[in-house]
Amino acid sequence: MASYTTIVDWQDVEDGYVVDVTIRQTEDEQYPSGWDYSLHLGAVGGDTILRYDNAHELTKGHERHTRDDVTLIEFPGMVTLYDRFKREVEELSPVSWGWPE
């Protein structure tokens, strides 16, 4: 069985928004990038506003989800993608999130 090392795993709910971030480093062959991640901004109640994930990396690749669309993205590396996610979340929600480093 492949090993996973959790790098970031946190959730916060503020003013009707939820941020849920899971980033794990792995040697699992299902994740050729070496990362298993889900970076999610949603509305409390379930609507997705923005999510980056690679839940099906082997078959679909890396994805960017919005309310109305799912697009395949190039994976720029985990730190770069996480920074991009944080910038977009700050633009899309009025909340000042306390991002863990």
Side-chain angles (χ1 to χ4, degrees):
M1 181 168 182
S3 66
Y4 290 83
T5 302
T6 300
I7 306 300
V8 178
D9 189 13
W10 71 281
Q11 182 181 56
D12 196 5
V13 178
E14 298 284 338
D15 295 332
Y17 293 88
V18 59
V19 169
D20 192 353
V21 174
T22 302
I23 301 172
R24 301 185 307 169
Q25 203 164 19
T26 183
E27 295 175 3
D28 189 323
E29 63 188 33
Q30 293 185 63
Y31 302 98
S33 66
W35 298 97
D36 170 19
Y37 65 89
S38 175
L39 314 172
H40 176 82
L41 170 67
V44 171
D47 290 338
T48 296
I49 297 169
L50 175 67
R51 183 174 69 250
Y52 287 96
D53 69 43
N54 66 336
H56 309 283
E57 182 178 342
L58 211 57
T59 57
K60 291 184 179 181
H62 300 265
E63 298 177 319
R64 182 182 186 271
H65 301 254
T66 61
R67 285 184 173 120
D68 303 317
D69 199 18
V70 177
T71 55
L72 294 178
I73 63 164
E74 291 294 322
F75 181 65
M78 197 67 249
V79 172
T80 301
L81 184 63
Y82 187 47
D83 288 344
R84 177 179 169 183
F85 174 73
K86 291 189 295 186
R87 279 192 310 274
E88 288 184 67
V89 167
E90 296 295 334
E91 293 169 5
L92 293 169
S93 72
V95 177
S96 241
W97 300 97
W99 299 101
E101 294 301 320

